[in-house]
Amino acid sequence: MAEDVADDRAGDGPGGGAGEPVTPDRLRAFSDGVFAIAATLLILEVKAPAADERVWHALRTEWPALAAYAVTFLVIGIAWIHHHNLFHQVRTVDRRMLLLNLGMLATISFLPLPTATLGDHLRGGDASAAAVFYSASMAAASAWFTLFWHHLCRRPHLMHPAARDGARRARRNSLLGPVGYVAAALLAPLTPEGSLALSAALVLYFVVGRRAPATRTRLPAK
């Protein structure tokens, strides 16, 4: 328990000493900004029709970039919802949670790069490599949530008492994302388009195949 308390206090000031602790609300506010910037940057890689191009023809030629944008935007949006849901159940943030959150934000803010790469190469000779890069990046981004829940399972005192019973189930459910995106990466050398379609199917499941986000953010009654 002494180690747990020391870990909790490690969320204090930047030097690790006494100072104002990083609360779950502060962490969520900072993270929200990173999510918003990453989602906004995605559209910059989609080229608008030039003045001398036919609009619908030009947009059709941009379908790989548009498809990658749509899938990645939804992935970032779903990650934001899951992040909100997770930290709604957290009572105290320790140093490891801060480091895990920074790692997750680093991969989320990285996603515009593989998205742009896939959009530019999906119809080219290096489409398989681009699809592997894209799916592997998605797997890395989603794996952080498994690490979050694993840490909370080991440190249940960080959570609100009413939320502790669901941590192991949440950890198990969180494996679907990284496992599914690894499967998409393995499929990419055979069919890059199929790999993107599998990623899209995972996104659709997270959107329509689970409880509404509002219900997932409510703590169970004591």
Side-chain angles (χ1 to χ4, degrees):
M1 179 61 71
E3 179 186 352
D4 293 341
V5 173
D7 229 8
D8 292 344
R9 290 176 179 173
D12 294 349
E20 184 181 356
V22 178
T23 65
D25 286 342
R26 288 182 64 192
L27 186 145
R28 280 203 305 265
F30 171 72
S31 302
D32 286 350
V34 177
F35 277 111
I37 292 171
T40 302
L41 290 176
L42 294 173
I43 196 60
L44 299 181
E45 298 300 327
V46 180
K47 300 177 180 63
D52 59 347
E53 291 183 299
R54 298 179 65 86
V55 171
W56 294 118
H57 173 75
L59 290 175
R60 281 197 302 271
T61 61
E62 283 293 304
W63 78 261
L66 288 167
Y69 160 78
V71 172
T72 310
F73 185 90
L74 287 175
V75 166
I76 292 177
I78 292 166
W80 173 75
I81 291 172
H82 288 177
H83 186 270
H84 175 76
N85 174 47
L86 188 153
F87 279 95
H88 181 72
Q89 302 177 62
V90 171
R91 178 179 60 86
T92 304
V93 176
D94 66 358
R95 178 180 295 175
R96 292 182 187 178
M97 288 291 286
L98 291 177
L99 294 176
L100 288 172
N101 195 68
L102 286 175
M104 185 272 299
L105 294 178
T107 56
I108 289 293
S109 60
F110 180 79
L111 290 181
L113 176 59
T115 301
T117 302
L118 183 63
D120 290 340
H121 292 84
L122 189 57
R123 293 175 301 172
D126 214 17
S128 294
V132 169
F133 179 39
Y134 179 81
S135 300
S137 300
M138 292 294 184
S142 60
W144 288 103
F145 289 93
T146 301
L147 296 177
F148 275 132
W149 286 115
H150 180 68
H151 181 62
L152 290 172
C153 285
R154 297 182 60 191
R155 298 281 198 279
H157 67 281
L158 297 176
M159 303 183 70
H160 292 289
R164 293 171 186 171
D165 291 342
R168 293 187 183 278
R169 183 175 64 255
R171 180 178 61 180
R172 183 175 62 252
N173 292 340
S174 71
L175 290 170
L176 177 61
V179 170
Y181 290 120
V182 167
L186 295 175
L187 182 63
L190 300 176
T191 167
E193 293 86 354
S195 176
L196 179 59
L198 177 55
S199 295
L202 283 169
V203 170
L204 288 177
Y205 169 76
F206 285 124
V207 171
V208 302
R210 304 178 69 182
R211 287 185 299 157
T215 63
R216 294 202 299 271
T217 59
R218 295 174 190 157
L219 289 175
K222 293 183 179 181

